[in-house]
Amino acid sequence: DQQVKQNSPSLSVQEGRISILNCDYTNSMFDYFLWYKKYPAEGPTFLISISSIKDKNEDGRFTVFLNKSAKHLSLHIVPSQPGDSAVYFCAASARQGGSEKLVFGKGMKLTVNP
Amino acid sequence: NAGVTQTPKFRVLKTGQSMTLLCAQDMNHEYMYWYRQDPGMGLRLIHYSVGEGTTAKGEVPDGYNVSRLKKQNFLLGLESAAPSQTSVYFCASRLAGGVHEQYFGPGTRLTVT
């Protein structure tokens, strides 16, 4: 049972345009959501996050939107740059068994073409 | 600060061999985690620790053991490696409390033949 879903395995956009990465979740107990970026042969790096009490968080070119009623979040990258080409993981946090854990989606490969 | 480091970076094992993966962090983080990443599967939690001397099972703990004898180190052991354990292993750590972000190491690529 996949609790965090990234249904599109890949996305290709032109440099300067907007990239929109989507993520859906099923567990209403998730209270915090994060996006990680991963380059080949490196570990994931934290990108941006949002609390479940908010619907938007912005950091430079990156904005995350949360729609709790739809159990959906999205990451917008504007403008997209070739260096943004990477695999992006959506993750959700919930307290289970007295401690907090992250549940990750399967990832989405973003390619930004010059 | 080195952040989170992992040793070794690559390893090839034969079925039935054992090995230990070492994770070290210099950020004084209380929580540490071991994940595995397989193609098309995302990151899955193997074991985690909320403090020195404590460990707990994650989503896919079978075939692995862990130890957290020192706050800065988290060891992942494979007692009898199987081809199904061929994967990329990532260690992560974070502060306790209201901080949610986990910081990841560079990974260990393990192949079991």
Side-chain angles (χ1 to χ4, degrees):
Chain A
D1 179 27
Q2 198 181 350
Q3 298 187 66
V4 177
K5 301 177 185 179
Q6 294 177 259
N7 292 319
S8 299
S10 62
L11 173 68
S12 183
V13 300
Q14 286 299 119
E15 180 178 5
R17 306 293 291 269
I18 184 171
S19 295
I20 300 177
L21 290 72
N22 294 307
C23 180
D24 297 296
Y25 62 96
T26 58
N27 188 344
S28 58
M29 298 302 291
F30 288 141
D31 59 358
Y32 206 81
F33 302 90
L34 306 90
W35 285 93
Y36 281 82
K37 179 167 75 172
K38 184 183 179 306
Y39 293 119
E42 294 184 11
T45 55
F46 170 71
L47 191 58
I48 192 170
S49 61
I50 187 167
S51 165
S52 60
I53 63 173
K54 297 187 175 182
D55 55 16
K56 177 182 176 181
N57 187 28
E58 190 172 354
D59 183 2
R61 296 186 297 113
F62 303 92
T63 303
V64 56
F65 295 92
L66 176 62
N67 183 332
K68 281 188 67 176
S69 61
K71 293 190 174 69
H72 176 84
L73 64 155
S74 61
L75 173 68
H76 292 209
I77 306 173
V78 182
S80 301
Q81 299 174 353
D84 296 329
S85 297
V87 175
Y88 290 77
F89 290 97
C90 170
S93 173
R95 292 194 69 85
Q96 296 175 3
S99 65
E100 186 182 291
K101 303 184 193 67
L102 291 183
V103 179
F104 286 84
K106 293 184 177 181
M108 173 195 232
K109 183 177 182 180
L110 172 66
T111 302
V112 181
N113 301 303
Chain B
N1 276 359
V4 180
T5 58
Q6 293 183 232
T7 309
K9 288 186 168 52
F10 304 94
R11 185 74 185 266
V12 178
L13 285 180
K14 293 188 186 319
T15 298
Q17 287 184 320
S18 63
M19 78 164 295
T20 300
L21 283 67
L22 171 63
C23 175
Q25 53 94 4
D26 61 1
M27 298 175 284
N28 204 33
H29 287 175
E30 288 83 4
Y31 289 14
M32 296 187 75
Y33 306 83
W34 275 107
Y35 294 89
R36 60 179 288 175
Q37 186 195 10
D38 302 294
M41 295 295 291
L43 289 150
R44 293 184 293 169
L45 182 64
I46 304 171
H47 285 282
Y48 64 100
S49 167
V50 300
E52 183 178 324
T54 73
T55 62
K57 294 180 180 179
E59 181 187 357
V60 288
D62 294 342
Y64 306 95
N65 57 75
V66 288
S67 64
R68 182 104 181 263
L69 298 180
K70 294 182 179 180
K71 184 177 183 179
Q72 63 267 35
N73 295 337
F74 195 28
L75 279 62
L76 178 71
L78 287 74
E79 289 187 346
S80 180
S84 60
Q85 294 177 304
T86 293
S87 187
V88 181
Y89 292 86
F90 290 102
C91 176
S93 69
R94 74 168 178 92
L95 287 168
V99 178
H100 301 264
E101 295 82 10
Q102 296 181 14
Y103 295 86
F104 284 81
T108 294
R109 181 173 292 276
L110 175 66
T111 302
V112 183
T113 61

